Amino acid sequence: MDNVIKIVLAILLFLCLADMPYGYFQFVRLAGLIGFTILAYRANQEGRKTEMIIYCGLALLFQPFFKIALGRTLWNLVDLIVGISLLVSLFFNNNSKQTK
């Protein structure tokens, strides 16, 4: 389940780099809030406190209620870094599960 959420969020964030209508960005903020909150909850349940804090921070960053105005260029950079990080975390989580 976590892998699916990470992949979907990464795809949504990469699509933000394209010229999309404003409604799409609002949708991504809501999806990011929901997705990162679920990931934070599951990380907390599994005792991964560092991941939980990171996901909580991302949920707060992407939340749609009190918008953080970073500008288009900075948001593109954030979307790219977070999207790549989500995909990289898939690889590292799969490796750590295989070694156990």
Side-chain angles (χ1 to χ4, degrees):
M1 174 86 167
D2 289 356
N3 290 347
V4 173
I5 293 171
K6 289 179 182 180
I7 291 170
V8 169
L9 286 175
I11 291 169
L12 290 174
L13 292 172
F14 290 142
L15 286 174
C16 287
L17 301 174
D19 188 24
M20 303 297 269
Y22 185 70
Y24 177 77
F25 298 107
Q26 290 177 319
F27 168 72
V28 170
R29 292 172 72 93
L30 182 63
L33 172 68
I34 294 168
F36 289 126
T37 302
I38 292 170
L39 290 172
Y41 175 76
R42 293 178 58 90
N44 186 47
Q45 293 295 315
E46 295 174 8
R48 301 178 316 217
K49 298 296 180 188
T50 305
E51 283 184 46
M52 189 255 322
I53 291 169
I54 291 170
Y55 290 137
C56 284
L58 289 171
L60 289 174
L61 178 65
F62 283 94
Q63 57 81 27
F65 307 112
F66 301 104
K67 294 186 175 124
I68 299 171
L70 297 179
R72 173 84 175 173
T73 305
L74 197 51
W75 268 116
N76 282 345
L77 184 61
V78 168
D79 293 337
L80 186 64
I81 291 170
V82 173
I84 290 171
S85 299
L86 286 169
L87 295 179
V88 168
S89 74
L90 290 172
F91 175 74
F92 284 112
N93 283 345
N94 285 338
N95 278 346
S96 66
K97 288 178 183 175
Q98 289 175 356
T99 58
K100 290 183 180 179

